[in-house]
């Protein structure tokens, strides 16, 4: 479809961005569902840099580092409030060097 008009690296970057967005949205949708019982229709965004950091962590080191290699940074935009979160190579390295971000062995599924 559009693939032929895009350079390969752009396509890869776009794809990674889509993955980030999808992960981000899943979490938001879950949160919205949990708030459905609340009669108050106010709409506040719960995004945060910490949340995006965990999303990047969920991508995996290889994927995240490949985005940094292609773009020089990882930039994630919130579709709700429009906030932009940028992670430079140092940030990304720190994300994956903080092993305590992972819960103890419970999620280590074979
Ligand atoms: Zn937001």
């Amino acid at each position: 479809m559009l693939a032929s008009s895009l350079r390969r690296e752009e396509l890869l970057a776009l794809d990674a961005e889509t993955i980030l967005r999808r992960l981000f949205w899943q979490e938001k949708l879950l949160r919205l569902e949990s708030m459905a019982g609340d009669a108050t229709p106010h709409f506040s965004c719960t995004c945060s840099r910490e949340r995006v950091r965990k999303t990047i962590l969920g991508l995996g080191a290889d994927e995240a580092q490949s985005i940094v290699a292609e773009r020089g940074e990882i930039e994630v935009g919130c579709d709700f409030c429009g906030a932009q979160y940028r992670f430079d190579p140092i940030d990304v390295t720190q994300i994956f060097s903080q092993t305590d971000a992972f819960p103890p062995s419970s999620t280590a599924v074979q």
Side-chain angles (χ1 to χ4, degrees), residues 54-79:
K54 285 178 178 164
T55 303
I56 293 171
L57 199 59
L59 269 186
D62 289 347
E63 187 69 28
Q65 294 292 359
S66 77
I67 297 172
V68 171
E70 298 283 352
R71 309 188 135 197
E73 66 179 8
I74 297 179
E75 183 178 322
V76 180
C78 175
D79 289 330

Side-chain angles (χ1 to χ4, degrees), residues 12-109:
L12 285 172
L14 280 173
D15 189 53
E17 198 166 81
T18 302
I19 293 168
L20 276 174
R21 187 153 293 162
R22 194 171 301 156
L23 288 170
F24 209 54
W25 268 91
Q26 277 177 357
E27 200 169 339
K28 287 191 180 303
L29 288 173
L30 286 173
R31 186 164 287 265
L32 280 177
E33 281 174 16
S34 72
M35 296 194 312
D38 190 345
T40 316
H42 74 270
F43 197 76
S44 62
C45 188
T46 58
C47 74
S48 69
R49 188 173 174 86
E50 177 64 15
R51 193 169 290 273
V52 176
R53 196 181 69 80
K54 285 178 178 164
T55 303
I56 293 171
L57 199 59
L59 269 186
D62 289 347
E63 187 69 28
Q65 294 292 359
S66 77
I67 297 172
V68 171
E70 298 283 352
R71 309 188 135 197
E73 66 179 8
I74 297 179
E75 183 178 322
V76 180
C78 175
D79 289 330
F80 280 178
C81 69
Q84 293 285 321
Y85 298 92
R86 290 165 175 264
F87 294 81
D88 65 23
I90 295 169
D91 292 330
V92 173
T93 300
Q94 283 177 346
I95 287 173
F96 290 101
S97 66
Q98 289 173 357
T99 51
D100 62 302
F102 292 101
S105 63
S106 59
T107 56
V109 179

